[in-house]
Amino acid sequence: MRELLFLAHRIPYPPDKGDKIRSFHLLQHLAHGYRVHVGAFIDDARDWSHVEHVKKMCGETCFVALHAARAKLSSLAAFATGEPLTLRYFRNARLAHWVHDMLGSRRIERALVFSSAMAQYVEGPSADRMRRVLDFVDLDSDKWRQYSQRHRGPMRWLYRREAETLFEFERRYAADFEASLFVSDAEARLFTSQAPETAARVSVVENGVDTEYFSPQRVYPSPYGADEAVLVFTGAMDYWANVDAVAWFAREVFPQVRSNFPRACFYIVGARPARAVRDLAQLPGVRVAGAVPDIRPYLAHARAAVAPLRIARGVQNKVLEAMAMARPVVASPQAVAGLRLCAELLEWTTDVPEESARLLLKLLGEPATAAFGDALRTHVCRHYSWHENLARVEEILEGEASARAGDAQHARQ
């Protein structure tokens, strides 16, 4: 069987947050055609319990604990070397030795590197014989640029530096690797507009949704009170962009909704809520649920899902999952920028607080929104099949697919 090296900045299981959803489905798909050897970091102690599950899908594995405080301290060396902090943060001697040993002892001719931070492990002569594919997913450097625009003082400078230095490495990796992947045409266009010399090596591989799992046809017990008319946000709640989104919504939009519809409640559902998120529970009608074993009941019984992201890159899985559950969605332009054109969703897209409140009050006042939800699910079922979207990855690994941003088959409908 063909052998493949798969490197990821976070263990690709369980698929409970954006990057791990994509990396898990990638690994699962590739394991059917390759003997996949996985090297990855584990930054959440609870994920060690999932190592055996991943090993069953793989050949050789190397999992390395990533302690945030130590990694941040180590990353400070980047100021002396001129590197981005991100590369130093994810630099580890043990993982580097494992990769070197694997390449020296096995006939590994292909590598799938998940996130630009992991590309540093397959540089140099030992990697020259491999066909290397880098899945950027989205453009991390632009995320830091957006962060810099939302901060002041030293943090603004720090984020701007990270955006500039990381982009130079992203650009170099895209030129060196045989192919680079992005999650959407918008991400690919953004990158190639700044690094046009890489355009011939850039391809789009969109995300998917498990529409059997996220099905509105199943029966879910309601997690809400009988008199609550719920608006829900789902996502990892220690991620700054999500924290910023729910704080803005809870303070700028939701009070307008609740003053006109007193039964309205805003539920924030997601693991590891930051202190700024937990504090929102003091506001009238705001509920911080934290980690839950299954988000589907929270989506199924909500009047609408909200995605008021002001900082966003790539494709928002939270939006796709709500659409798959046939839930109405009110989102910001940033949250839907990476999605295929969906006319029904665009009508409910805004970042103006008063307009967001108006749209949500319309949904709360007219709960018979089945047609809207059904249209969103139909869109997801038509365009976001994991199997169909990921079939392209194997073609790219084998050098059988044209690697051009905006290929005809990926053009927006």
Side-chain angles (χ1 to χ4, degrees):
M1 179 178 271
R2 298 168 299 178
E3 297 194 74
L4 171 72
L5 180 66
F6 185 103
L7 301 177
H9 69 295
R10 187 177 286 116
I11 182 174
Y13 194 84
D16 57 0
K17 61 189 305 182
D19 63 280
K20 292 169 75 174
I21 292 171
R22 182 175 173 95
S23 61
F24 165 71
H25 283 282
L26 266 171
L27 175 59
Q28 185 180 55
H29 180 85
L30 293 171
H32 291 295
Y34 299 90
R35 181 171 172 78
V36 185
H37 307 293
V38 175
F41 288 100
I42 295 180
D43 60 359
D44 185 334
R46 291 169 294 187
D47 282 349
W48 285 104
S49 65
H50 302 298
V51 164
E52 290 304 317
H53 181 93
V54 176
K55 284 185 174 181
K56 292 177 182 178
M57 305 167 62
C58 306
E60 300 297 321
T61 60
C62 178
F63 296 107
V64 178
L66 182 68
H67 302 285
R70 295 179 198 170
K72 287 178 181 177
L73 185 62
S74 296
S75 70
L76 296 179
F79 289 115
T81 63
E83 296 175 289
L85 298 169
T86 301
L87 262 64
R88 285 281 181 169
Y89 187 92
F90 287 103
R91 186 166 296 167
N92 179 269
R94 181 185 160 209
L95 183 58
H97 287 313
W98 179 80
V99 171
H100 181 268
D101 290 344
M102 289 294 294
L103 297 183
S105 62
R106 292 183 174 274
R107 189 175 176 79
I108 300 176
E109 297 180 343
R110 299 162 188 84
L112 191 290
V113 179
F114 189 85
S115 85
S116 59
M118 302 302 289
Q120 60 187 308
Y121 291 100
V122 287
E123 294 188 284
S126 63
D128 285 345
R129 60 181 170 83
M130 290 194 300
R131 180 171 175 81
R132 297 168 299 166
V133 175
L134 174 55
D135 188 359
F136 281 90
V137 188
D138 45 43
L139 195 55
D140 278 345
S141 58
D142 195 68
K143 173 190 70 178
W144 296 115
R145 181 192 62 77
Q146 291 185 61
Y147 279 14
S148 73
Q149 294 172 343
R150 295 283 179 181
H151 288 76
R152 297 183 181 278
M155 294 308 295
R156 183 179 188 133
W157 173 84
L158 180 67
Y159 289 142
R160 186 168 61 245
R161 177 195 182 276
E162 187 66 7
E164 293 170 354
T165 57
L166 183 57
F167 175 74
E168 289 308 313
F169 276 83
E170 291 170 334
R171 186 174 197 163
R172 193 189 84 193
Y173 290 142
D176 288 346
F177 278 51
E178 281 66 35
S180 295
L181 311 180
F182 286 91
V183 73
S184 70
D185 285 334
E187 292 296 309
R189 285 195 300 269
L190 176 63
F191 182 65
T192 56
S193 69
Q194 300 174 58
E197 73 280 3
T198 68
R201 298 184 178 208
V202 169
S203 290
V204 174
V205 174
E206 294 176 300
N207 271 5
V209 183
D210 186 341
T211 53
E212 289 297 317
Y213 182 80
F214 288 99
S215 171
Q217 302 304 316
R218 301 176 187 272
V219 177
Y220 306 98
S222 176
Y224 305 131
D227 61 340
E228 293 181 325
V230 173
L231 308 175
V232 65
F233 179 97
T234 62
M237 294 318 306
D238 58 348
Y239 180 49
W240 191 81
N242 287 343
V243 174
D244 175 75
V246 297
W248 177 83
F249 182 84
R251 294 193 170 98
E252 300 297 326
V253 179
F254 186 65
Q256 299 181 55
V257 174
R258 190 168 169 87
S259 66
N260 288 278
F261 202 97
R263 291 195 299 113
C265 292
F266 175 41
Y267 271 74
I268 302 169
V269 180
R272 302 174 298 278
R275 175 63 182 271
V277 176
R278 298 196 301 272
D279 288 348
L280 296 175
Q282 301 173 19
L283 301 176
V286 178
R287 315 277 193 261
V288 179
V292 299
D294 189 346
I295 67 168
R296 292 174 298 174
Y298 288 85
L299 289 169
H301 292 278
R303 293 285 185 89
V306 296
L309 293 159
R310 301 194 294 171
I311 296 172
R313 287 260 52 91
V315 172
Q316 298 299 315
N317 290 292
K318 60 175 64 68
V319 175
L320 292 180
E321 290 166 358
M323 292 171 69
M325 292 289 292
R327 288 294 80 206
V329 177
V330 174
S332 66
Q334 295 92 323
V336 302
L339 298 181
R340 284 180 176 262
L341 179 63
C342 178
E344 292 85 357
L345 183 58
L346 289 180
E347 294 177 10
W348 299 82
T349 298
T350 181
D351 57 2
V352 178
E354 293 76 14
E355 181 65 9
S356 295
R358 185 189 70 79
L359 292 173
L360 290 166
L361 284 167
K362 184 176 180 180
L363 290 173
L364 291 169
E366 302 174 13
T369 55
F372 180 24
D374 288 346
L376 297 184
R377 178 171 171 82
T378 297
H379 183 80
V380 165
C381 292
R382 180 178 299 150
H383 297 294
Y384 291 96
S385 161
W386 277 117
H387 177 73
E388 293 180 11
N389 290 350
L390 294 182
R392 182 164 168 79
V393 176
E394 189 169 354
E395 295 176 352
I396 293 169
L397 280 166
E398 296 301 319
E400 298 170 358
S402 172
R404 296 193 305 271
D407 282 353
Q409 66 260 47
H410 296 288
R412 288 291 176 260
Q413 303 299 317

